[in-house]
Amino acid sequence: ITVNAVIDGDKYNVNLAAPYLLQGNKIIEQTSLSAHGDIADDRDNTLSFSTIFPHKQGKIPISLNALVKDGIVKSALRWKMKRAQDYSGELNLQATLRRDENRQMDYTVNIEPSHVTFNDTVWNIDPSVVRIAGGTVAVDNLRGSNGKQYVHINGKVSRQPEDVLELDLKDISLDYVFETLNINNVDFGGQATGHFYASDLLNGAPQIYTPGLHVNNLTYNDALMGDADITSRWLTDEKAVALRADILQDNGLKSIVDGAIYVTRDSLALDFEAQRANLAFMKPFMAAFAGDIQGAASGKATLYGTFKDINLKGDVVADTLNFLLAFTNVRYACRNEKIHIEPGLIEFGDITIFDRNGNTARLDGWLKHDNFHEPVFNFGVTQARGLLCYDTNERFNNVWYGEVYGNGSAFVTGSPGIVDVKVNMETAPGSKFTFVLSDAATATEYKFITYRSKRYPQGLPVAAQPTDTLPEAVRKHLARAQTQNVVKPTAFNIDLQGDITPDVALRIVMDQTSGDQIKATGSGNMRLTYNSNDEMEIYGKYTLERGHYNFTLQDIIIKDFIIRDGSSITFRGDPYAAAIDLQAVYATNANLRDLDESFSTDVDLQRTNVPVHAVLIAKGLMSQPDIDFDLEFPTLNSDAVRKVHSIVSTEEMMNQQIIYLLAINRFYTPDYVDATRNNNEFTNVASSTISSQLSSMLGKMSENWTISPNFRSAKGDFSDVEVELALSSQLLNNRLLFNGNFGYRDNTYNTRNSNFIGDFDIEYLLNSRGTLRLKAYNRFNDQNYYLRNALTTQGVGIVWKHDFDNLRQLFKGSRKSKQEEAQPNPVEPADSTTTTTTTAP
């Protein structure tokens, strides 16, 4: 503190400067006082004062300027809080100082028209008078208003019992009151209307009471409690405010609060008798593990402690309760469950919880806390039956997201800053999961963006001047305050292991830009670990039972390959280093004459336009697999197949044939290129490109359906057109599987009576693992099956599937013993054998 003073006779000039004043744990900054004038002459005395006062919502610069002239003091008090909303004011006063006939000071303060602003709302101060004389303070019509809202003070303060000071409120916001009084740890809100009366304020035993204060929309911690009628009285001996509140809730029921607030001790003791009262007020207390709390509770409880250190005890029944687990984004609910509350402990025992679909599980656990600080919790979810366990989208996590249901158990433990999640479950119907392998992220809109300096990752320095110029006490206080204000994100450690069943629709995105992705269902025993540092490890083997591989080439060729059963993905830690062993087939029709003209005279062929399977073989790292191709001909005899392979005998020739088949649905033979052929190829390229783009657009219309249109012409003039539409879907929680190929052929190779193509497979999984299923199909008889006279072949049967490594496991069966079920699931061996039994068509 620096003080400069000059006194010359009756004249004076005083200046005071205090850059920092420490009051408790608050720092008052830039305080200055300047006064000068003549003691003998009160016509030229001025006073200027300014300071910056700390507040929980921001710093408040305050200034006071006063002029004394002829016994009249004119002053202006101004303030403005540094925050987004306007909190400011200017109060103009004029005080007359004189002595009465008994030489007693008589002060008359005239409050001139002024205005103050709270949260962008302007309040007008009407002219009024406050007189202090003879030990009495008389307030004459002190009033502030904003529309229909007002605060009105009128009456006297003295030692006479008959003198009463009355405070009249109309629709006053309680949150304004708590912010103005800088009460940080109790958050009440609502619109208050009523009267307060005070007498004997100067006798040491004041009488302060309100016979009725009505609060519309009373809130606590932003949770609506209802409309309250409050009576209260000051207790002199206890230095407390005794109160009773009858709260009428929106549901028509009433809750009662009875107790006291001890003003001088910053504490309270309130008894609650609740009837389906709003539980949302618990949200700040349970924020360590729950992102949101909603519901209603009934029972009796006591809230007690200081405004900073609150505790709770009692037994309540959660009539309805639902809460959101932030790390899984799943909301659970329970009904009519008992919650036992002791000081420092909240217990949940044998509670049945529901997900949004009504699936159930059992919840047991507890939350320990130190006056609702430093909570430690331990929750176990068991006996889950089709429970929603994970529910996120690309905005929540753009690397892995989905909707996962499970059967089994999960355990959540933690404390502020760290949460451990251990899960042992089997996937249930309705699950779908996406895993993105590529580094390219999709641009999405997020509500919150935080910019951080590389130099100051925890935020910019608080001090506005070099640290070495600050006093040591101030430097330590600022460092301590900055450390306390840093909000550390919660770290999650997830350990998930279990059986993946065909109930899960898996999507693996290899390249988001081109659209390369795998959509499949399958089974396997997997383990996944993940933490908040985005460190993920996956172990196990996932065997694909059915699926599609969306193959793209330069965004021109977009073909949907059907993945063959038995393809697999093996994880050994790093998910980006997963090993893939996959075979996928693209089926089309092509003319063997394009390979060699001799096929047109082959006596073993009834026609040269035959079904062809372009086989894609992917092995190695899933992010960058080694790709090979092969050709299969399901309707040709072995001699014809050998002849084709003798022509397509090199890797280069195989790649050329595959590209041609994918691009224009025909074989490549450069030795027979002529003008007509070039025209046909141009038409085929155009039709194939249009088909691919249509397939890409239609495939984005629904996640449940894969739609692949295709049309082509062999002649190139569209006089012989083949139109096909491939459909596939997984319905009824992935239990009903459908594959279909429908179309129309109008060409010279079609000698059948019908031009319609109608192939489809329907499978229904009789159990969740897909080892037992019902299957039906309809097949269009290709022309090369010349031994069949019927246009179509149908069949229906039951399929049983079992994985085994040796014959003993085959006959032992797939049921686990109780001891095996209790143990953590081991990683599945790298190789296995599958047997399938079906009934004949």
Side-chain angles (χ1 to χ4, degrees), residues 548-589:
H548 300 265
Y549 176 31
N550 190 41
F551 177 80
T552 64
L553 182 61
Q554 300 299 323
D555 290 332
I556 297 176
I557 300 176
I558 305 174
K559 296 297 181 182
D560 191 29
F561 280 73
I562 304 299
I563 298 175
R564 283 181 167 169
D565 292 355
S567 298
S568 65
I569 305 172
T570 303
F571 296 89
R572 296 185 175 91
D574 184 359
Y576 296 99
I580 189 172
D581 185 359
L582 179 146
Q583 288 192 13
V585 174
Y586 172 72
T588 185
N589 287 330

Side-chain angles (χ1 to χ4, degrees), residues 551-669:
F551 177 80
T552 64
L553 182 61
Q554 300 299 323
D555 290 332
I556 297 176
I557 300 176
I558 305 174
K559 296 297 181 182
D560 191 29
F561 280 73
I562 304 299
I563 298 175
R564 283 181 167 169
D565 292 355
S567 298
S568 65
I569 305 172
T570 303
F571 296 89
R572 296 185 175 91
D574 184 359
Y576 296 99
I580 189 172
D581 185 359
L582 179 146
Q583 288 192 13
V585 174
Y586 172 72
T588 185
N589 287 330
N591 200 321
L592 294 175
R593 292 176 56 192
D594 293 329
L595 278 177
D596 194 291
E597 190 66 31
S598 64
F599 280 106
S600 61
T601 59
D602 193 325
V603 296
D604 293 329
L605 294 177
Q606 185 177 357
R607 66 165 180 145
T608 58
N609 195 51
V610 298
V612 181
H613 289 173
V615 182
L616 181 148
I617 305 171
K619 293 186 177 183
L621 293 180
M622 185 164 56
S623 56
Q624 294 179 334
D626 297 326
I627 303 295
D628 290 319
F629 296 99
D630 198 3
L631 292 174
E632 294 179 351
F633 303 88
T635 64
L636 294 184
N637 56 40
S638 59
D639 291 336
V641 173
R642 279 194 296 270
K643 184 176 180 181
V644 172
H645 282 293
S646 67
I647 298 171
V648 187
S649 58
T650 65
E651 182 179 353
E652 181 181 359
M653 177 63 75
M654 178 64 72
N655 292 339
Q656 287 178 331
Q657 297 300 337
I658 294 296
I659 291 174
Y660 256 64
L661 287 170
L662 296 179
I664 60 177
N665 293 303
R666 64 188 304 168
F667 291 111
Y668 167 73
T669 307

Side-chain angles (χ1 to χ4, degrees), residues 314-570:
D315 288 295
V316 299
V317 174
D319 303 290
T320 59
L321 171 65
N322 67 76
F323 55 94
L324 179 72
L325 292 184
F327 42 89
T328 63
N329 200 41
V330 179
R331 184 177 291 278
Y332 297 111
C334 64
R335 302 185 188 95
N336 300 318
E337 298 288 355
K338 185 178 179 180
I339 302 175
H340 178 66
I341 305 173
E342 294 181 3
L345 175 66
I346 300 176
E347 285 186 307
F348 303 82
D350 196 15
I351 291 177
T352 300
I353 60 173
F354 304 83
D355 64 14
R356 67 185 183 207
N357 302 310
N359 301 318
T360 64
R362 173 180 169 177
L363 172 66
D364 294 276
W366 46 260
L367 168 70
K368 295 181 180 179
H369 59 89
D370 181 10
N371 296 305
F372 285 102
H373 305 301
E374 303 298 325
V376 178
F377 52 88
N378 187 325
F379 294 98
V381 177
T382 57
Q383 301 178 19
R385 294 293 180 267
L387 190 73
L388 180 60
C389 303
Y390 192 72
D391 186 20
T392 64
N393 52 35
E394 191 172 3
R395 181 174 297 182
F396 189 92
N397 185 329
N398 61 5
V399 177
W400 53 305
Y401 54 91
E403 185 177 318
V404 180
Y405 297 85
N407 303 319
S409 59
F411 299 91
V412 182
T413 60
S415 57
I418 184 167
V419 175
D420 293 323
V421 182
K422 294 185 178 181
V423 180
N424 193 336
M425 285 194 175
E426 176 187 78
T427 55
S431 302
K432 55 184 179 180
F433 189 79
T434 296
F435 181 53
V436 180
L437 287 175
S438 62
D439 295 331
T442 303
T444 54
E445 179 183 353
Y446 290 87
K447 293 183 180 179
F448 304 101
I449 299 177
T450 301
Y451 297 95
R452 293 185 178 179
S453 168
K454 290 184 178 180
R455 184 177 179 186
Y456 305 108
Q458 301 299 335
L460 295 176
V462 174
Q465 56 181 299
T467 306
D468 55 7
T469 66
L470 297 176
E472 181 66 21
V474 175
R475 185 187 301 115
K476 290 182 178 180
H477 178 85
L478 292 176
R480 183 169 59 252
Q482 184 176 7
T483 302
Q484 292 173 349
N485 292 331
V486 173
V487 179
K488 296 181 179 179
T490 300
F492 297 108
N493 298 316
I494 299 175
D495 186 349
L496 188 155
Q497 56 182 329
D499 293 327
I500 309 299
T501 67
D503 293 315
V504 180
L506 178 67
R507 185 167 74 104
I508 300 175
V509 180
M510 280 80 77
D511 191 331
Q512 293 188 92
T513 304
S514 65
D516 278 2
Q517 60 181 337
I518 293 175
K519 292 182 179 180
T521 61
S523 59
N525 188 274
M526 310 290 293
R527 180 180 181 185
L528 181 149
T529 62
Y530 176 79
N531 58 42
S532 296
N533 296 324
D534 286 335
E535 297 173 350
M536 178 191 292
E537 293 184 347
I538 304 177
Y539 299 90
K541 181 180 179 181
Y542 182 72
T543 302
L544 285 67
E545 296 190 359
R546 56 178 288 113
H548 300 265
Y549 176 31
N550 190 41
F551 177 80
T552 64
L553 182 61
Q554 300 299 323
D555 290 332
I556 297 176
I557 300 176
I558 305 174
K559 296 297 181 182
D560 191 29
F561 280 73
I562 304 299
I563 298 175
R564 283 181 167 169
D565 292 355
S567 298
S568 65
I569 305 172
T570 303

Side-chain angles (χ1 to χ4, degrees), residues 93-122:
L93 307 173
Q94 179 174 300
T96 302
L97 311 179
R98 66 183 182 85
R99 295 183 184 274
D100 59 16
E101 62 275 7
N102 298 322
R103 304 297 296 172
Q104 298 291 325
M105 290 300 300
D106 187 340
Y107 305 92
T108 301
V109 180
N110 292 282
I111 300 174
E112 299 178 351
S114 307
H115 67 272
V116 295
T117 303
F118 291 99
N119 197 22
D120 293 332
T121 302
V122 179

Side-chain angles (χ1 to χ4, degrees), residues 31-53:
T31 301
S32 66
L33 173 67
S34 175
H36 64 84
D38 192 329
I39 299 175
D41 185 359
D42 64 358
R43 290 177 297 178
D44 189 23
N45 293 275
T46 62
L47 173 70
S48 297
F49 172 80
S50 65
T51 189
I52 298 178
F53 195 80

